[in-house]
Amino acid sequence: MGKALLVDFGGVLTTPVAPAFRTFCVEHEIPPGVLKALFVEAYADPSGTGSTLIAEVETGRISTASFNARLAAALQEHTGRTIPENGLIQGIVSRLDLDDAMLRAVSSCRAQGVRVALVSNSLGDDRASTGYPDGLESLFDAVVISGEVGVRKPHPAIFELAAGRLDVDPHACVLVDDVESHVRAAERLGITGVVHKERAETIAALESLLEVRIEV
C-alpha cells in the first residue's frame, strides 16, 4: 500500500492565520482577543461536533451570509461598535496569501507517487470567497472540505473520509496541520501527524516520513 498525504489549507498552504486575524482586528478597531476567543471556544471541543458559531459554519449548517451576520452581531456585542457584515469573513481570509513553496512541496510529493488530499475546515459555503484558489481539484487527488461533507476537524470521520477517498488505510497517511488538536485526533486513528510551524521543518519531516525528495 502506498503512502498518502493529508494536508490542511489555512495556515499550511497559506501564510499564518493569526497575523491575518490581527491585521483585520487592527483595521476594524476590534480587540484581537475578541475574535480569537470565538475560535478558541470552537476549537476547544475535542469532538468537533459542538454548536458554536464557528462549528456551525464549518459543518455547513449555516451559510456564509448567515455566518457573516451572526459574527458581526457577536463582535458588536463584545465591542459596542457596529461591524459591517457584508463580506466580513471574506475580509479576514483575503489577508491570507498562498504559500507557493508549500504548494510546490505538495505537488512534488504527488509527482513522486504520494496520493494527496486536502482536508480543510471551511468558513462558508462559497469556495471562492473563503480563500480557496481556482482549480483546487487539479492540485489534489481528493478534496475534503468540512462545509461540503458536514463534518469538521478534529472529528475522526473527516480523516477517515479523506483516507477512504484516497483508497488508503489511515495508517498509511501523514497529516500536516497547523492546529495541534487536529493532529492529535488524527494520530488516534493511526495517522502520522506533523504540526506545521515552519516550512523548512515540515518539508524535512515529509521527506523523511514519505521517503521523497522535495524541491521547492
Side-chain angles (χ1 to χ4, degrees), residues 15 17 49 54 57 64 96 122 138 147 156-157 174-175 187 189 191 200:
T15 50
V17 172
T49 58
I54 306 301
V57 73
T64 301
L96 295 173
S122 60
S138 68
V174 174
L175 169 71
E187 288 176 337
L189 292 174
I191 294 170

Side-chain angles (χ1 to χ4, degrees), residues 142-206:
V143 172
V144 181
I145 295 177
S146 65
E148 298 175 358
V149 300
V151 63
R152 63 191 281 265
K153 297 179 288 186
H155 196 289
I158 195 168
F159 302 117
E160 293 172 327
L161 177 61
R165 288 187 176 181
L166 293 178
D167 195 26
V168 297
D169 189 273
H171 289 82
C173 296
V174 174
L175 169 71
V176 178
D177 201 299
D178 63 324
V179 178
E180 185 170 358
S181 61
H182 296 170
V183 172
R184 301 306 168 224
E187 288 176 337
R188 289 191 285 274
L189 292 174
I191 294 170
T192 301
V194 176
V195 179
H196 178 72
K197 294 180 180 178
E198 297 290 339
R199 180 195 303 148
E201 292 178 1
T202 294
I203 290 174
L206 291 179

Side-chain angles (χ1 to χ4, degrees), residues 99-146:
D99 186 329
D100 291 331
M102 281 301 300
L103 285 167
R104 288 194 295 271
V106 170
S107 295
S108 179
C109 291
R110 192 178 181 207
Q112 294 173 73
V114 176
R115 293 184 61 76
V116 180
L118 179 74
V119 186
S120 176
N121 282 356
S122 60
L123 284 173
D125 52 7
D126 180 353
R127 287 189 186 184
S129 66
T130 49
Y132 299 107
D134 292 335
L136 198 62
E137 255 77 13
S138 68
L139 303 176
F140 305 93
D141 298 295
V143 172
V144 181
I145 295 177
S146 65

Side-chain angles (χ1 to χ4, degrees), residues 53-116:
L53 176 59
I54 306 301
E56 287 191 337
V57 73
E58 287 185 341
T59 52
R61 285 177 277 170
I62 61 174
S63 67
T64 301
S66 177
F67 176 64
N68 280 338
R70 291 172 58 182
L71 179 59
L75 293 173
Q76 183 172 338
E77 179 182 348
H78 283 87
T79 64
R81 297 180 58 255
T82 299
I83 307 296
E85 66 181 67
N86 288 340
L88 183 58
I89 193 60
Q90 295 90 331
I92 296 174
V93 300
S94 68
R95 287 158 174 79
L96 295 173
D97 294 318
L98 292 174
D99 186 329
D100 291 331
M102 281 301 300
L103 285 167
R104 288 194 295 271
V106 170
S107 295
S108 179
C109 291
R110 192 178 181 207
Q112 294 173 73
V114 176
R115 293 184 61 76
V116 180

Side-chain angles (χ1 to χ4, degrees), residues 2-82:
K3 296 183 179 180
L5 171 62
L6 312 181
V7 60
D8 180 35
F9 183 69
V12 175
L13 299 182
T14 73
T15 50
V17 172
F21 277 32
R22 284 196 297 269
T23 299
F24 173 84
C25 288
V26 168
E27 291 179 359
H28 290 268
E29 299 180 3
I30 300 168
V34 171
L35 187 60
K36 180 180 179 181
L38 294 173
F39 283 85
V40 168
E41 178 186 16
Y43 282 87
D45 170 24
S47 70
T49 58
S51 58
T52 64
L53 176 59
I54 306 301
E56 287 191 337
V57 73
E58 287 185 341
T59 52
R61 285 177 277 170
I62 61 174
S63 67
T64 301
S66 177
F67 176 64
N68 280 338
R70 291 172 58 182
L71 179 59
L75 293 173
Q76 183 172 338
E77 179 182 348
H78 283 87
T79 64
R81 297 180 58 255
T82 299

